[in-house]
């Protein structure tokens, strides 16, 4: 299933982002946030199934057609929350819903926990809190991050002779996807270069995090949420196999849906997109 969308570029005070707009202008305001190394095409199957909403599906900074952070900056997870807030300001949305997948779901949780008065609802797909680290691991993690930064200028992006080769590589990447899903992401994620094609993503996105929140930090954001939360978990995804995560989630006041499919179940096929929409449509209407 496909639907017409409008392509826009958003000139924020600190960066220029690209986005797809779906749905009627008078629809409920929704900002959609894709996962790590994906782009706004992540919502190209799901958006047509969502009713009564005005969706701004962002290419997050460093992804798709959006700008990259300036030299010397990095991609700390909390910096994305500032981007989202600036997008809402540009649209004049004082309150809005966040639709997030994976990293986008994490960004959504952090923003809604930090500024609960701004977020109407959270519709999350196979993501909730960031990867965590305990205090004793912090020095080692910072050292690894610093060494990776020093080594980055010597690394080169892979170049694929054909689009089909890039699609095949994406199918086997982090959060493996179907061929159709990989083709959709490649439509927006690839660019031509001498010798073939490479991904538009900023290489700094591959750098390890310099610092991570502790478990206590991460769950504190969840506990500060004031809005309704609907969390879709993929049975073959990344989270249901983590017993401690599931124990923590099940002890909190949110609606959980466990659906068949992998980490990108909303993009892999039409059946998965419809199943996710069936969970979210009543939720977005407040039913």
């Amino acid at each position: 299933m496909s639907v017409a969308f409008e392509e826009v570029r958003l000139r924020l005070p600190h960066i220029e982002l690209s986005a797809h707009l779906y749905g009627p202008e008078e629809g409920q305001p929704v900002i959609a946030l894709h996962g790590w190394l994906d782009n706004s095409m992540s919502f190209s199957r799901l958006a047509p199934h969502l009713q009564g909403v005005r969706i701004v599906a962002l290419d997050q900074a460093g992804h798709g057609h959006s700008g990259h952070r300036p030299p010397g900056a990095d991609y700390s997870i909390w910096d994305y929350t500032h981007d989202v807030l600036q997008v809402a300001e540009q649209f004049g949305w004082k309150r809005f819903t966040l639709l997030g997948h994976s990293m986008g779901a994490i960004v959504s949780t952090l923003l809604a926990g930090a500024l609960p008065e701004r977020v109407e609802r959270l519709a999350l797909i196979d993501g909730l809190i960031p990867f965590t680290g305990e205090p004793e691991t912090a020095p080692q993690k910072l050292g690894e991050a610093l060494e990776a930064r020093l080594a980055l200028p010597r690394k080169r992006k892979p170049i694929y002779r054909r689009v089909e080769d890039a699609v095949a590589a994406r199918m086997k990447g982090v959060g493996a996807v179907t061929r159709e899903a990989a083709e959709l992401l490649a439509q927006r994620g690839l660019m031509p270069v001498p010798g073939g094609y490479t991904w538009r993503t900023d290489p700094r996105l591959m750098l390890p995090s310099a610092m991570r929140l502790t478990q206590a930090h991460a769950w504190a954001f969840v506990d500060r949420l004031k809005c309704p939360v609907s969390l879709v978990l993929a049975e073959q995804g990344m989270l249901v196999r983590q017993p401690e995560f599931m124990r923590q989630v099940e002890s909190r006041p949110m609606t959980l849906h466990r659906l068949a499919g992998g980490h990108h179940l909303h993009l892999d096929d039409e059946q998965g997109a419809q199943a996710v929409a069936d969970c979210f449509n009543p939720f977005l209407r407040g039913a």
Side-chain angles (χ1 to χ4, degrees), residues 217-270:
H217 280 126
W219 288 107
F221 281 90
V222 177
D223 290 335
R224 197 163 183 261
L225 297 175
K226 303 299 183 186
C227 65
V229 181
S230 181
L231 172 60
V232 167
L233 296 176
E235 290 287 9
Q236 289 76 48
M238 298 182 174
L239 300 178
V240 297
R241 291 169 289 180
Q242 301 178 27
E244 177 58 21
F245 173 85
M246 292 303 299
R247 186 184 71 80
Q248 293 281 359
V249 165
E250 289 168 354
S251 70
R252 286 170 166 85
M254 60 181 71
T255 303
L256 297 180
H257 306 272
R258 295 180 62 157
L259 300 182
H263 184 56
H264 287 76
L265 74 166
H266 65 298
L267 179 65
D268 278 335
D269 54 44
E270 286 295 328

Side-chain angles (χ1 to χ4, degrees), residues 6-82:
E6 180 185 353
E7 173 109 18
V8 296
R9 294 198 65 81
L10 307 171
R11 294 184 178 179
L12 308 183
H14 62 295
I15 197 169
E16 187 170 292
L17 300 183
S18 185
H20 289 165
L21 303 183
Y22 295 90
E25 290 188 24
E26 68 278 9
Q28 178 182 345
V30 175
I31 299 176
L33 305 174
H34 61 75
W36 181 60
L37 302 183
D38 290 343
N39 54 62
S40 60
M41 291 297 286
S42 178
F43 298 101
S44 59
R45 285 193 191 271
L46 178 60
H49 295 287
L50 298 179
Q51 302 161 1
V53 290
R54 177 64 162 175
I55 300 174
V56 179
L58 290 178
D59 285 335
Q60 298 206 68
H63 297 77
H65 289 203
S66 284
H68 295 182
R69 304 269 188 225
D74 62 15
Y75 287 88
S76 298
I77 191 73
W78 33 83
D79 288 333
Y80 288 110
T81 63
H82 178 236

